Amino acid sequence: MSAFSRRYPDVYRIDDFDNPWLPLPVRLLNAVPDTLIRRFTRLDEQRLLQRAIQATGLDDFGDEDFRAPFRLLLEDLNTLDHFTPMGRITVQTVLHEQLCSRLCLQEQLKRQPDIAQHKIDRPVFIAGLPRTGTTHLHNLLSQCTQLRYLPLWQTLHPIAPQPGQADRRRRAADLAVNATGFIIPLFKRMHEMATDAPHEELTLCALGYRSFFFEGAFQVPKYRDWYANHSQVKGYAFLRQVLQMLEQEPAQGNKTSVARAPGARWILKSPQHVDQLEAILTVFPDARLILTHRDPARAVLSMITMILYTSRQVYRPQRLREEANAWVDRLEQMLRRSQQQAAAIPGDNVFHVAFDAFMENPEKTIERICEFAQIDLDPVSRQAIQRHLASSARDRHGRIDYRFESLGLDEAEIRARFDFYTTWY
């Protein structure tokens, strides 16, 4: 029996939220005095911008409209400061890499101004909370030859290096995946990641600083309220720019992927889309929306567990209960808005997927989606889907025993709050 199996049996309940276990190197880093870490991790707007300019040799960040949400984000990060030392290093690194990518993206757009005229044809968006089948559905649809997906490495590092420079993006993604497995080893039971596998576009949206990414990764109440209560059409217009640029490159994948047909359409997936259906259709009027549905209480429990587990190396646990309840409020808000927006969308644009029916007969669900979205499900695609189903057994990494009480939540109260959604769907 491996050390991992001894520590984490096949069915495991996370019960250390108040005093989280972390690997020894992380514990040693987090023992460094805060005063010392702060000297090297100042989250100051001008300092961060200047570092990115120095690192890239570029100075055009594009539309200055990003600065308002960026400043609000920094205000949160500097006010609610209960970061661990690793947390402060993490957030500074994330912001630095995002700003560098934004500079490189803008440079690419200036070199190829005609990219802006390129039409993104009938993209397919999967919208649903985590644990509602979105990842499995995304992986299966990504096997279709008429659809192109974003592999993990490209979502983390979308900008190709200049000619003559080594492309180390896959290697960097390998390191990120391995680091995640080392620091938070149970994460693969909640959401599996692989360098070349299909991945959501959340980190690409984050380059515009109008993204659900930030509230999922950090505790940012002011930014969360701003993002939830303002139109995010500009955020999706930014995503369109990124997709326009990426379409100039061959469809990416791994060595065993099926070949993509000429003009393959995008298959995209993110929890961000749940309550942004109107914004998506404003920017992509011919988009096809796939909404996934599951018992909302279970979906909410799973998502909050995942967020709080993955933040254990970033934050000290003193606000855990407060953050869990804030997420209940936020997810109720998202599902209510999603319900209202979906009701106003013509049937030609939206398709609903029930989790239980999908899991019972995934191939039938894929056939119905392809018919709805006008995707030719050719023999090559069908064979690739069957291969993926054969190699992706559910809970193959083990299962998490999710418990409401572990997060200080009451199941009956949660079910009552989300009864509107259960009744609707």
Side-chain angles (χ1 to χ4, degrees), residues 149-153 170 174 194-199 252-255 257:
Y149 64 86
L150 290 159
L152 172 64
W153 65 264
R170 274 190 172 91
D174 283 338
T195 295
D196 286 299
H199 197 64
Q252 301 292 348
N254 56 44
K255 295 178 181 178
S257 293

Side-chain angles (χ1 to χ4, degrees), residues 94-105:
V94 167
L95 294 177
H96 175 69
E97 291 182 349
Q98 287 173 344
L99 289 169
C100 288
S101 290
R102 186 180 174 95
L103 284 168
C104 292
L105 170 65

Side-chain angles (χ1 to χ4, degrees), residues 100-356:
C100 288
S101 290
R102 186 180 174 95
L103 284 168
C104 292
L105 170 65
Q106 184 61 24
E107 179 67 14
Q108 191 92 337
L109 293 173
K110 287 195 296 187
R111 290 181 179 180
Q112 298 176 277
D114 56 323
I115 288 177
Q117 308 306 316
H118 182 74
K119 185 180 187 301
I120 301 298
D121 181 41
R122 295 170 298 157
V124 180
F125 286 82
I126 300 172
L129 296 185
R131 311 300 292 179
T132 61
T134 55
T135 298
H136 190 39
L137 182 60
H138 187 209
N139 287 336
L140 290 175
L141 286 171
S142 294
Q143 308 306 313
C144 296
T145 61
Q146 290 198 351
L147 294 174
R148 64 181 294 170
Y149 64 86
L150 290 159
L152 172 64
W153 65 264
Q154 197 171 37
T155 67
L156 297 177
H157 307 284
I159 313 301
Q162 295 300 313
Q165 296 180 341
D167 192 340
R168 299 186 176 89
R169 291 180 292 172
R170 274 190 172 91
R171 183 180 177 186
D174 283 338
L175 292 173
V177 170
N178 292 334
T180 299
F182 176 70
I183 297 170
I184 43 176
L186 290 172
F187 183 60
K188 64 184 177 183
R189 296 189 180 186
M190 306 174 190
H191 180 72
E192 186 176 5
M193 297 193 308
T195 295
D196 286 299
H199 197 64
E200 58 192 37
E201 59 280 2
L202 201 56
T203 51
L204 297 182
C205 296
L207 302 182
Y209 291 95
R210 297 172 178 271
S211 173
F212 185 79
F213 167 83
F214 297 105
E215 54 182 308
F218 306 113
Q219 295 174 11
V220 286
K222 290 182 180 178
Y223 179 90
R224 175 188 286 161
D225 287 345
W226 172 85
Y227 178 79
N229 293 298
H230 287 77
S231 167
Q232 298 307 332
V233 167
K234 287 187 176 181
Y236 281 92
F238 182 86
L239 174 62
R240 180 179 59 195
Q241 275 191 319
V242 178
L243 296 177
Q244 287 170 327
M245 183 197 70
L246 293 178
E247 279 204 352
Q248 310 310 304
E249 302 180 18
Q252 301 292 348
N254 56 44
K255 295 178 181 178
T256 62
S257 293
V258 297
R260 303 291 136 173
R265 295 152 56 191
W266 288 104
I267 175 68
L268 304 165
K269 183 269 289 189
S270 172
Q272 170 174 313
H273 307 323
V274 169
D275 63 343
Q276 297 295 331
L277 308 180
E278 291 177 350
I280 292 171
L281 290 176
T282 299
V283 178
F284 304 95
D286 60 354
R288 299 297 182 263
L289 307 176
I290 305 172
L291 275 59
T292 58
H293 304 279
R294 191 183 186 183
D295 172 8
R298 303 306 301 178
V300 166
L301 171 63
S302 297
M303 182 170 179
I304 296 175
T305 300
M306 180 174 68
I307 288 173
L308 296 185
Y309 174 72
T310 56
S311 68
R312 58 178 44 204
Q313 82 277 14
V314 176
Y315 287 105
R316 297 184 178 91
Q318 57 257 44
R319 292 189 69 249
L320 183 141
R321 300 292 184 266
E322 181 182 345
E323 189 67 9
N325 281 286
W327 271 109
V328 174
D329 294 340
R330 178 70 171 110
L331 296 176
E332 179 185 356
Q333 177 191 53
M334 289 176 69
L335 288 180
R336 286 189 181 277
R337 290 179 175 176
S338 182
Q339 175 186 347
Q340 293 166 359
Q341 292 174 19
I345 296 173
D348 290 346
N349 288 96
V350 64
F351 185 91
H352 297 271
V353 174
F355 176 82
D356 292 338

Side-chain angles (χ1 to χ4, degrees), residues 137 141 290 351 353 365-374:
L137 182 60
L141 286 171
I290 305 172
F351 185 91
V353 174
T365 300
I366 295 299
E367 287 178 357
R368 294 179 60 208
I369 289 173
C370 288
E371 181 181 358
F372 152 76
Q374 298 178 312

